[in-house]
Amino acid sequence: MLRSGSHLLEQRKKEIDALNVFPVPDGDTGTNMNLTFKAASQAADKNTGKSVHEIAAAASLGSLMGARGNSGVILSQIMRGIAKGLEGLDEANSIQVAHALQAGVETAYRAVMKPVEGTILTVSRETARGALNKAKSGTTDILEVLRAGCEKGEETLAKTPEMLPALKQAGVVDAGGQGFLTILYGWIAVLEGNKIPGVPEQEYAIETREATGIVAIGDLEYPYCTEFLVKGSKLDPEVIRQELLGNGDCLLVVGTDDVVKIHIHSKNPGNILSIAIKYGSLHEVQIHNMLAQNEHAAHEAKETSDSTTTEELYAENTSENLSGGGIDSEKEAPQEAAAIKEYGIVSVAMGEGIAKIFESLGVDEVVFGGQTMNPSTNDLAEAARKVPARKVFILPNNSNIIMAAGQVNELITDKDVMVIPTKSIPQAIAALLAFNSDSSIDENAEMMSEVLTHVSSGEVTYAVRDSQFGDLEIAEGDILGLIEGTITTTGREILDVAKNVLEGMHWRDKDLVTIFYGKDMAEEDVNVLTGWLKGVKPDIEVEVYSGKQPLYYYILGVE
């Protein structure tokens, strides 16, 4: 069921991405949910237990570590609740499955500070309600229970535009709700004996398990798990993916014009790296021999007591990275005591130039990501682990990453991790400048959070489809201006829209304007904008940086 749900979500992720409310080029709900659930499915595949609660617990842990974006985090919480609902069960009947779905929904609602109806929360709640009502009617057929749940979920999904005006204006249903139902349709398909088109037959096979409980793989056609980042300019993940096809399996290529993350199982990792290096520089290269890992896991399992938990087995025996960074880094040799400092900072950046600025302001670890490639909880946790500090601040710099960052504390126990809820690059800069290494962690958190209220953030990008937002009629290719993440102006010229955004941010009444220009902007065009600012208000302080961010012509800050 987990595999089938993952495969179906993989196939339909672009359709779900297209349900983005705003017509900006960062509709990533489908991608985030796909990567999150893929991590859950892969973790379940590696689990050596035979009971439903062990598989569910492994999937829950995998989804936690792989959670990306708000939709992914909520999905991971649903998986956590499902695992809790199946706790202690070797097998589950129809009523127990329905109750587990209900537990998943309740866990997700508790995890969200301000639950919004008309989202994945509503759709999953009504799906669980439909399943539970069917189970209570006396049926013992789990397939009937899930079908009844999806029928109720579909009815609710169709009503989401009436619950959220933004959905109605955009003419779409909720993307997260659609993704959730897609997973369940994958579950239903495999229970019906159907197969997802394009998925190899062996993906549906039940593995042979030895008496020790370790999966008997014997041999692997592609034994080397190979993962790395490619950094460069004008990168096209799809072009890279096409060239890597046929060189292995479990291929994953995601990223932006600046950085692409690659995961593949291969016969010859050297060939993979030779192909990738043509596109840019290679970073964070990790190669694992999965056959050797399996042999080691089998040996360790024989010595593992019956009291070992699923989480302990998973953390102990799994070294393939679910979403970036790798779990084995927890086993790295401890850093020298003298190298440990009091504070460290992790920040998310969406452009090479912005990353360099962060580093110059004292950021220890920069995680590449942003609108089109939300880093997972595990990505952020791995970055925090690398920082030689007792206390670590995380700056998400995007509202869709804050929830994933908030779960890092569940993966790290040997240092204090605190998230400063920055939603933009300008807010991150202000927070970094407010940091004081002589203050306590609570004092720093208060100061860094307080300055966020004094910063206005704006962006200039383009529309990827025709749409309507409020009173704004938007055509594909229009230039869009956003203030605090909301579209406020449109036009055909980048300069005009940038001016309108700044006016909407009341820049004339402020002291400082910060401009991060994207990789597609020429310096002479940026000079025209700064010249206009100085011409209107000669005493305004203007700071200009080459952010080299993709998709966004300008990121603007006013304070």
Side-chain angles (χ1 to χ4, degrees), residues 439-456:
S439 299
S440 70
I441 186 170
D442 291 332
E443 290 170 339
N444 267 310
E446 182 178 355
M447 290 186 295
M448 295 169 77
S449 299
E450 196 273 333
V451 296
L452 305 186
T453 62
H454 303 302
V455 182
S456 297

Side-chain angles (χ1 to χ4, degrees), residues 379-391:
D379 290 335
L380 298 170
E382 287 301 320
R385 287 191 184 102
K386 293 177 183 177
V387 177
R390 298 179 184 86
K391 304 177 179 72

Side-chain angles (χ1 to χ4, degrees), residues 151-220:
E151 183 178 347
K152 184 67 174 178
E154 284 288 358
E155 293 175 5
T156 305
L157 181 66
K159 297 176 183 176
T160 55
E162 303 303 321
M163 304 178 199
L164 278 179
L167 294 175
K168 190 170 187 178
Q169 289 176 342
V172 296
V173 296
D174 179 66
Q178 183 71 75
F180 175 76
L181 289 175
T182 299
I183 292 169
L184 264 64
Y185 283 134
W187 295 2
I188 288 172
V190 79
L191 290 177
E192 290 176 333
N194 298 323
K195 297 176 176 59
I196 307 302
V199 178
E201 181 76 23
Q202 60 266 29
E203 288 291 322
Y204 293 98
I206 305 299
E207 293 96 336
T208 302
R209 299 184 185 271
E210 295 181 346
T212 60
I214 296 298
V215 178
I217 59 176
D219 195 9
L220 285 174

Side-chain angles (χ1 to χ4, degrees), residues 306-536:
D306 292 339
S307 61
T308 304
T309 65
T310 298
E311 286 82 357
E312 290 168 340
L313 274 169
Y314 178 63
E316 186 174 291
N317 294 332
T318 305
S319 58
E320 178 183 347
N321 179 15
L322 295 176
S323 55
I327 300 173
D328 354 10
S329 58
E330 287 192 61
K331 299 181 181 179
E332 293 174 358
Q335 294 149 325
E336 295 295 329
I340 302 295
K341 56 184 180 178
E342 190 67 15
Y343 290 113
I345 300 175
V346 172
S347 187
V348 178
M350 60 187 297
E352 182 183 346
I354 293 172
K356 290 179 179 177
I357 295 167
F358 282 160
E359 289 168 354
S360 72
L361 291 173
V363 171
D364 297 275
E365 289 288 332
V366 175
V367 179
F368 281 89
Q371 295 289 71
T372 55
M373 189 172 69
N374 295 158
S376 68
T377 297
N378 193 48
D379 290 335
L380 298 170
E382 287 301 320
R385 287 191 184 102
K386 293 177 183 177
V387 177
R390 298 179 184 86
K391 304 177 179 72
V392 178
F393 290 103
I394 297 180
L395 307 180
N397 308 332
N398 186 297
S399 59
N400 206 32
I401 302 175
I402 292 174
M403 285 186 72
Q407 297 193 136
V408 170
N409 266 319
E410 299 183 37
L411 301 181
I412 295 181
T413 57
D414 60 345
K415 56 182 68 180
D416 293 328
V417 178
M418 187 165 288
V419 178
I420 306 300
T422 51
K423 297 180 179 180
S424 66
I425 300 302
Q427 284 191 346
I429 299 295
L432 289 169
L433 294 174
F435 171 74
N436 185 340
S437 60
D438 293 327
S439 299
S440 70
I441 186 170
D442 291 332
E443 290 170 339
N444 267 310
E446 182 178 355
M447 290 186 295
M448 295 169 77
S449 299
E450 196 273 333
V451 296
L452 305 186
T453 62
H454 303 302
V455 182
S456 297
S457 302
E459 297 160 323
V460 179
T461 185
Y462 60 92
V464 295
R465 68 168 188 267
D466 295 343
S467 182
Q468 180 170 350
F469 183 74
D471 296 330
L472 297 174
E473 292 283 349
I474 300 170
E476 181 180 347
D478 277 357
I479 306 301
L480 304 180
L482 296 85
I483 298 177
E484 309 301 348
T486 299
I487 300 173
T488 59
T489 182
T490 65
R492 301 302 297 181
E493 299 295 330
I494 295 172
L495 178 62
D496 293 338
V497 172
K499 289 179 179 180
N500 290 339
V501 169
L502 287 165
E503 295 290 10
M505 295 163 70
H506 307 292
W507 73 275
R508 299 169 191 253
D509 302 327
K510 306 297 172 63
D511 304 309
L512 172 66
V513 174
T514 305
I515 300 172
F516 301 90
Y517 62 92
K519 66 180 188 64
D520 296 323
M521 293 300 300
E523 284 191 35
E524 51 265 32
D525 294 327
V526 181
N527 291 337
V528 173
L529 178 59
T530 57
W532 171 74
L533 289 166
K534 285 290 188 180
V536 174

Side-chain angles (χ1 to χ4, degrees), residues 216-255:
I217 59 176
D219 195 9
L220 285 174
E221 184 179 4
Y222 302 108
Y224 295 100
C225 174
T226 309
E227 298 174 286
F228 54 97
L229 296 176
V230 179
K231 296 181 183 178
S233 60
K234 298 183 179 179
L235 298 175
D236 187 336
E238 183 59 24
V239 170
I240 299 174
R241 191 182 77 83
Q242 288 298 324
E243 185 164 0
L244 289 173
L245 283 174
N247 287 277
D249 63 10
C250 297
L251 176 63
L252 173 66
V253 182
V254 295

